[in-house]
């Protein structure tokens, strides 16, 4: 495997399942003495969320990107009402070690996507010209979700602040939070870095990944 002994971070941009599972297993089998520093893309969250999969390979640690902070466990203070309602509705999420279905953040991302759509439709309803609600008008309104001349953001989502800004191309939120997590074996993935606006995404202190060379953990 060409990654063995590589002097620098190896970025994995493939599918979390099954590709990353096979990649990590290959590293563990062939590079046990000198595993590379691994950074995976957001799709790796699907692999890391499955405690059974990540427990199968405990020799190799890796970091990965995530667009959503996973909810805290049930016995901890929640960072957003979404998390409180999630645990109240789906009690199996409180089981430890449990399947970790929300660890990939996709539930929170889906919640924010729905909230963004609802907000756009509500704003259309307030337009003085009685703009019809259809696929085009909602798509156009999505790119105008920002709060001009005020502090705060258009939406304080479960995954962080959602605001398209007045000077952006308005095809994606400005300064959207991107988290860096580190995982190894069955241990719960830990936050080690973040970029963007993380005020609503998490409360921990992070290493300044976007301001200096990242410090990777094996």
């Amino acid at each position: 495997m060409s990654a063995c002994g590589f002097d620098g971070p190896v970025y994995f941009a493939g599918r979390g399942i099954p590709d990353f599972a096979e990649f990590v297993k290959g590293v563990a089998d062939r590079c046990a003495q000198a595993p590379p520093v691994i950074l995976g893309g957001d799709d790796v969250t699907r692999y890391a969320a499955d405690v059974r999969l990540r427990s199968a390979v405990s020799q190799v640690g890796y970091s990965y990107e995530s667009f959503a902070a996973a909810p805290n466990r049930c016995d901890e203070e929640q960072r957003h009402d979404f998390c409180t309602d999630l645990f109240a509705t789906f009690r199996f999420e409180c089981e430890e070690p449990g399947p970790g279905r929300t660890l990939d953040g996709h539930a929170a991302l889906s919640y924010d996507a729905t909230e963004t759509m609802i907000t756009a439709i509500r704003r259309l309803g307030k337009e003085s010209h009685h703009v019809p609600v259809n696929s085009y008008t909602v798509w156009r309104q999505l790119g105008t979700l920002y709060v001009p001349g005020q502090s705060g953001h258009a939406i304080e989502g479960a995954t962080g602040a959602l605001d398209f800004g007045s000077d952006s191309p308005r095809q994606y939120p400005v300064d959207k939070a991107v988290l860096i997590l580190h995982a190894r074996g069955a241990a719960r993935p830990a936050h080690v870095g973040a970029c963007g606006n993380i005020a609503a995404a998490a409360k921990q202190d992070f290493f300044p990944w976007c301001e200096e060379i990242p410090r990777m953990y094996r």
Side-chain angles (χ1 to χ4, degrees), residues 181-205:
L181 294 93
H182 186 77
R184 183 167 187 164
R188 183 179 175 83
H191 296 147
V192 296
C195 304
N197 191 312
I198 63 170
K203 297 179 180 179
Q204 297 92 335
D205 293 326

Side-chain angles (χ1 to χ4, degrees), residues 1-6 22-36 57 59-60:
M1 177 176 286
S2 60
C4 296
F6 181 72
E22 293 300 320
F23 174 75
V24 172
K25 187 176 184 299
V27 170
D29 291 342
R30 305 180 189 180
C31 314
Q33 301 304 317
V57 182
Q59 308 96 309
V60 176

Side-chain angles (χ1 to χ4, degrees), residues 145-159:
L145 295 181
Y146 67 98
V147 184
Q150 300 180 27
S151 60
H153 303 278
I155 300 172
E156 295 294 344
T159 66

Side-chain angles (χ1 to χ4, degrees), residues 84-109:
T84 303
D85 294 340
L86 176 76
F87 289 141
T89 305
F90 303 105
R91 297 302 301 173
F92 59 78
E93 291 288 358
C94 299
E95 299 173 2
E96 291 288 357
R101 291 179 174 86
T102 61
L103 282 177
D104 60 4
H106 288 154
L109 284 169

Side-chain angles (χ1 to χ4, degrees), residues 1-103:
M1 177 176 286
S2 60
C4 296
F6 181 72
D7 186 18
V10 174
Y11 187 82
F12 183 88
R15 296 177 297 175
I17 300 174
D19 295 350
F20 188 73
E22 293 300 320
F23 174 75
V24 172
K25 187 176 184 299
V27 170
D29 291 342
R30 305 180 189 180
C31 314
Q33 301 304 317
V37 174
I38 301 171
L39 176 62
D42 177 64
D43 206 41
V44 171
T45 58
R46 296 182 59 208
Y47 170 86
D50 192 324
V51 66
R52 290 164 296 186
L53 282 178
R54 70 174 192 268
S55 297
V57 182
S58 60
Q59 308 96 309
V60 176
Y62 50 90
S63 296
Y64 61 95
E65 301 166 335
S66 175
F67 295 112
N72 294 329
R73 303 315 302 170
C74 297
D75 57 351
E76 298 175 346
E77 180 183 357
Q78 305 306 317
R79 62 177 64 91
H80 194 277
D81 290 343
F82 160 77
C83 305
T84 303
D85 294 340
L86 176 76
F87 289 141
T89 305
F90 303 105
R91 297 302 301 173
F92 59 78
E93 291 288 358
C94 299
E95 299 173 2
E96 291 288 357
R101 291 179 174 86
T102 61
L103 282 177

